[in-house]
Amino acid sequence: MNINPKIDKKDSLTISEYIKNFARKHSLFVLAYGTGCGAIEIPPTMTSRYDAERFGIRGAATPRQADVLLITGYLATKTLKRVIRVYEQMQDPKYVIGFGSCTINGGMYWDSYNTINSLDKYIPVDVFINGCMPRPEAVISGFVKLQEYIQEGKADGWLKYQNNIEEYRANQKRVIKNWRMPDYNW
Amino acid sequence: MSEHIKEKETLEAITTAFEKVNGVVQRDKRIIVRTEAETIPGVLLYAKERLKYNHFSHMSCVDWIEDKQFELVYILWSPEDKIQLIIKCRINRENPIMQNIDNIWRQANTYEREIREMYGIEFEGLVGAKEFILEDWEDMPPMRRDFDTKEYSNDHFFDRPGREDAKDVRTEITERSGEEIPDFAKKYTRD
Amino acid sequence: MDWSLILGIIITIITAFTVGMFYGGISRKVTARIQNRVGPPIWQNFLDVLKLYSKESAIHHGWMQHLGPLWAITASTATLMFVPILNNGQFYENLNFSGDLIFLIYMMVLGQLGMALGAGQTGNPNSAIGVSRGLSQMVGYKVPWLLALVAIMIQFKVTSITGILELQNEIGWLMFASPFAFIAGLLAFIGMMHYAPFDIVFAPSELASGPPSEFGGKYLGLMMTSGAIFTFAKLVLFVDIFLGGASNILELLLKTFVIYMIPVLYGIVSPRYRTEQSIRYFWGWPTFFGVIGMLYAWYMIA
Ligand code: SF4
């Protein structure tokens, strides 16, 4: 099953879009979904040594307030369910950063019975940061890349998700067999 | 202290109290006892009440697929003597049923539930014998050695191309150190 | 129709919003510098609010949840309207003469009440805990705050803020004329600003930000706006009562900034209290000074 973006790309941004994107780019509230081992790199990224707050990146406490969902590493099928719920509770526009090679192709858990292999089949991912595990410099460079995409209006994973919801749902239901999830009115 | 006086005393006490129990002092502060499945609760209770092995450290399971058996391993610890007592028993792999020991140590319940889910061993009268760690699992218990995790992963998850140039470094390592890859591990290759 | 009244309201709100936002940014910068970080730019809070307003908000838990943030911002702007920004009526008067201290005491609770109702309806357990903590803490700091204000009212027989400002033209700052009430008021004020160690309501790590935990997007933006305006209103009120008001904007900024930095700096070096510790704190020394302030006032009139 392939996910094709069905979005008509515009060539230029209007002024209001430019201002909005500028604000969005410089104010990223991050919800770190730290179940993978990569989560250990988040504290140094946020604190004095690397100080992500100078880019306007700051932690959010709940999915409702967050803009960026940072998935730090492997996802078991069980945690994938929670990730989907968290992602659907976030308010548009929302972005996802896949962090570590586990989110890209399964990493060292590529043949495990219990961890998914490619995250972008289940929820749209805007930026991947590779490495096992990526250092804080790499994390910050990933965020800067995301900021570039947002400014150019290319970080449109949330639109992709809305437009291709059936395909994403089909992929998700392949892993989560017993689908007992609430519907969020996003 | 190479005589292991305390260890030998303990082993002596257990072997005289029960039939069909044999054991060795494996090394300093470690005793291994093998017995039958029926005597397990008796040995555990005896060790707990009489010999003061009152800390239940761990319980695990080994799949001896070649012998068609499961081995259950109970690890106790005596805070007084600082000795580790390992009690092992084997049960049939075809229809694995084991006695429940969570009335001796409450915390054994968690281990038993995990082993039940991961190896499919039923414990008689286990409290909370339902879905525990795995959610919505429909396949064979995944820690059994005849469960092919690679195949399951291929069937259920999406592989991303790009791993083709990955090498199986185990051959190199075994050649370098002059060992052999065991038979059961040979099927997990990259090609 | 009096256009200057409307103009005054708009300008007052814009001033309050800007100053409150910049103060928030400065506090973030100061925190960062103390932690040896570079920190965000001081206009970061404007970007945050702009972004929050540009988000889509599709959260529905019931109509009180939609009204909660509106209620909060209404209450904080209303509070602002009754506080004279500069003394001698040099700034727009808005509604300065209609209210007095007793009325303001009620008005300042209203915003929190709206938030509590709104957060209560979201059904999030963190919100409920946050609300109950907030209301208990309010019971804590309201006691010294009321004692301080009542001491002043008794001592000078005046309840209107403009009256207090005029009074201070004659006898100097109330901070010196009624020192114990000032100490009690200041300690209560530290709690009112909700910085650490009194941030038990919004504790992000244990309560997932408490009452606003189900509010995202525009609702959160409204709350931040209301918070900025309310911060400014509280600061100006404090300066008006104890520090003799201000005769121009620069003086106002200077005085409010000094007062604002007290809770911020105290907060950076403090861990968080638990709820009962916080209440016990407010019912300890601050209340003691409040009572002393009352006795002092009684002694001064006798
Ligand atoms: S990519 Fe590496 S560090 Fe990250 S979760 Fe996977 S195994 Fe852990």
Side-chain angles (χ1 to χ4, degrees):
Chain A
M1 265 165 274
N2 270 324
I3 313 268
N4 314 307
K6 295 182 209 149
I7 306 152
D8 22 309
K9 283 260 184 295
K10 273 173 286 163
D11 296 333
S12 59
L13 300 169
T14 63
I15 301 266
S16 87
E17 271 175 334
Y18 184 86
I19 295 174
K20 277 181 189 174
N21 287 348
F22 184 79
R24 284 170 187 166
K25 161 186 168 188
H26 283 295
S27 154
L28 295 173
F29 287 15
V30 180
L31 184 72
Y33 195 86
T35 54
C37 24
I40 203 71
E41 295 292 337
I42 302 299
T45 314
M46 290 297 183
T47 48
S48 314
R49 181 73 189 265
Y50 293 98
D51 185 25
E53 204 182 1
R54 68 205 146 108
F55 298 103
I57 299 162
R58 129 186 232 203
T62 68
R64 297 294 196 190
Q65 301 166 0
D67 307 308
V68 182
L69 180 58
L70 183 63
I71 297 194
T72 59
Y74 55 79
L75 285 180
T77 51
K78 200 171 167 179
T79 44
L80 178 69
K81 195 166 169 179
R82 277 75 185 168
V83 163
I84 293 165
R85 286 185 65 169
V86 165
Y87 182 70
E88 293 187 351
Q89 285 188 53
M90 287 165 60
Q91 302 295 301
D92 293 337
K94 47 194 173 186
Y95 317 104
V96 180
I97 294 186
F99 178 113
S101 39
C102 280
T103 54
I104 302 175
N105 60 1
M108 61 191 263
Y109 301 102
W110 65 294
D111 59 351
S112 164
Y113 62 90
N114 208 15
T115 56
I116 59 157
N117 284 354
S118 352
L119 176 63
D120 57 349
K121 293 281 193 278
Y122 308 100
I123 54 176
V125 180
D126 294 294
V127 173
F128 276 120
I129 305 171
N130 75 348
C132 175
M133 53 192 64
R135 282 185 56 82
E137 293 96 329
V139 180
I140 287 180
S141 94
F143 272 109
V144 171
K145 197 80 204 165
L146 179 68
Q147 288 184 335
E148 275 171 30
Y149 284 162
I150 293 173
Q151 181 64 73
E152 291 161 15
K154 285 200 286 190
D156 49 9
W158 52 287
L159 279 177
K160 233 193 270 179
Y161 193 69
Q162 282 180 4
N163 295 342
N164 300 293
I165 183 70
E166 285 87 22
E167 291 154 64
Y168 279 112
R169 268 284 183 276
N171 285 354
Q172 290 163 0
K173 284 187 180 165
R174 228 177 110 177
V175 176
I176 303 162
K177 283 157 203 147
N178 196 350
W179 186 268
R180 284 163 302 193
M181 302 258 249
D183 267 336
Y184 297 100
N185 37 3
W186 71 85
Chain B
M1 293 298 288
S2 59
E3 292 88 38
H4 306 319
I5 304 167
K6 194 75 200 165
E7 287 89 334
K8 278 189 184 137
E9 268 175 28
T10 312
L11 188 56
E12 184 79 29
I14 295 178
T15 39
T16 45
F18 294 92
E19 299 167 1
K20 294 199 223 156
V21 172
N22 51 42
V24 289
V25 177
Q26 195 200 23
R27 61 166 171 77
D28 215 19
K29 309 227 176 285
R30 178 177 294 175
I31 310 168
I32 296 189
V33 172
R34 285 173 210 282
T35 175
E36 306 276 292
E38 303 85 66
T39 34
I40 282 284
V43 176
L44 290 178
L45 204 54
Y46 182 78
K48 182 186 181 186
E49 299 295 334
R50 293 286 167 80
L51 305 175
K52 300 276 179 294
Y53 281 79
N54 43 21
H55 176 75
F56 183 79
S57 309
H58 191 54
M59 168 178 177
S60 70
C61 180
V62 184
D63 185 0
W64 291 96
I65 193 168
E66 293 83 1
D67 305 347
K68 297 199 170 41
Q69 276 175 330
F70 281 125
E71 188 174 64
L72 286 162
V73 185
Y74 300 83
I75 302 176
L76 311 185
W77 167 256
S78 157
E80 243 167 59
D81 303 339
K82 311 260 184 298
I83 296 178
Q84 205 173 30
L85 175 62
I86 302 176
I87 300 164
K88 297 182 175 181
C89 76
R90 290 204 175 191
I91 56 176
N92 187 3
R93 200 170 179 283
E94 296 305 298
N95 183 20
I97 294 182
M98 183 62 197
Q99 294 180 61
N100 175 11
I101 58 141
D102 67 3
N103 43 7
I104 306 179
W105 281 282
R106 280 279 310 279
Q107 66 268 39
N109 182 273
T110 309
Y111 295 112
E112 289 179 345
R113 282 170 71 186
E114 187 185 356
I115 289 174
R116 176 183 167 277
E117 194 163 77
M118 291 297 181
Y119 290 90
I121 299 177
E122 286 300 332
F123 291 88
E124 289 164 348
L126 181 64
V127 180
K130 52 178 197 283
E131 187 181 86
F132 182 42
I133 293 173
L134 300 172
E135 250 182 18
D136 310 327
W137 185 259
E138 289 162 354
D139 219 289
M140 171 194 304
M143 295 295 275
R144 290 194 179 195
R145 270 173 46 208
D146 44 358
F147 172 78
D148 192 342
T149 144
K150 176 78 181 72
E151 199 183 293
Y152 185 88
S153 169
N154 284 349
D155 287 352
H156 288 76
F157 309 126
F158 298 90
D159 260 340
R160 193 188 295 277
R163 279 183 179 276
E164 293 78 20
D165 56 346
K167 305 194 285 190
D168 189 359
V169 289
R170 290 179 307 171
T171 33
E172 266 175 46
I173 291 173
T174 43
E175 270 164 26
R176 199 193 308 147
S177 59
E179 291 169 21
E180 256 184 39
I181 302 181
D183 283 340
F184 66 82
K186 274 187 184 145
K187 72 175 175 193
Y188 302 110
T189 54
R190 296 249 181 196
D191 21 69
Chain C
M1 183 130 226
D2 191 354
W3 286 104
S4 86
L5 190 66
I6 295 178
L7 189 71
I9 290 173
I10 293 173
I11 290 187
T12 314
I13 292 177
I14 291 179
T15 315
F17 174 71
T18 321
V19 175
M21 279 289 158
F22 265 120
Y23 279 10
I26 290 172
S27 89
R28 280 173 76 174
K29 191 79 179 170
V30 167
T31 315
R33 290 311 297 157
I34 287 178
Q35 292 170 354
N36 202 2
R37 290 190 281 133
V38 177
I42 58 170
W43 54 85
Q44 180 65 44
N45 277 8
F46 286 101
L47 292 173
D48 285 354
V49 164
L50 193 57
K51 179 213 65 181
L52 286 172
Y53 282 130
S54 83
K55 284 188 81 128
E56 286 167 29
S57 307
I59 310 168
H60 179 70
H61 292 291
W63 57 272
M64 199 59 227
Q65 179 243 333
H66 299 291
L67 281 187
L70 290 176
W71 187 325
I73 197 166
T74 313
S76 44
T77 34
T79 313
L80 182 70
M81 289 299 112
F82 290 103
V83 181
I85 309 291
L86 297 179
N87 55 11
N88 302 330
Q90 287 164 6
F91 205 74
Y92 293 97
E93 278 171 9
N94 302 329
L95 304 169
N96 296 355
F97 289 102
S98 324
D100 57 11
L101 270 181
I102 298 175
F103 177 73
L104 263 183
I105 288 167
Y106 281 105
M107 208 57 201
M108 287 167 75
V109 182
L110 199 65
Q112 292 206 4
L113 211 61
M115 272 305 307
L117 289 176
Q121 193 166 37
T122 60
N124 190 316
N126 289 322
S127 305
I129 300 172
V131 166
S132 75
R133 283 183 176 197
L135 295 182
S136 353
Q137 198 189 32
M138 204 156 77
V139 175
Y141 63 67
K142 279 293 171 198
V143 172
W145 178 243
L146 274 179
L147 282 174
L149 294 192
V150 172
I152 285 170
M153 291 183 213
I154 293 176
Q155 190 173 348
F156 302 104
K157 300 210 169 41
V158 53
T159 61
S160 90
I161 310 169
T162 41
I164 290 178
L165 280 174
E166 276 161 20
L167 184 82
Q168 292 183 91
N169 281 340
E170 292 156 24
I171 60 162
W173 296 2
L174 283 197
M175 162 180 176
F176 302 118
S178 178
F180 298 108
F182 170 71
I183 295 174
L186 186 65
L187 293 177
F189 187 76
I190 291 177
M192 257 196 275
M193 295 301 280
H194 289 298
Y195 280 106
F198 306 109
D199 57 345
I200 56 173
V201 184
F202 301 103
S205 42
E206 60 192 77
L207 275 192
S209 81
S213 56
E214 277 292 314
F215 293 91
K218 297 194 173 73
Y219 299 105
L220 197 62
L222 267 182
M223 279 179 195
M224 274 182 78
T225 314
S226 140
I229 293 174
F230 197 47
T231 305
F232 182 75
K234 277 189 286 193
L235 285 167
V236 174
L237 179 65
F238 194 85
V239 168
D240 279 352
I241 294 174
F242 291 108
L243 267 63
S247 47
N248 57 44
I249 288 281
L250 261 181
E251 191 186 345
L252 179 81
L253 289 183
L254 190 71
K255 282 180 178 172
T256 48
F257 187 72
V258 170
I259 296 297
Y260 182 69
M261 273 299 130
I262 295 173
V264 170
L265 293 178
Y266 183 46
I268 294 168
V269 291
S270 320
R272 188 181 306 128
Y273 275 151
R274 279 185 279 134
T275 316
E276 76 275 11
Q277 283 172 326
S278 162
I279 295 173
R280 206 176 297 143
Y281 171 86
F282 287 119
W283 289 356
W285 287 109
T287 307
F288 173 76
F289 280 116
V291 173
I292 298 278
M294 293 281 265
L295 294 178
Y296 180 78
W298 176 73
Y299 171 76
M300 290 302 279
I301 34 175

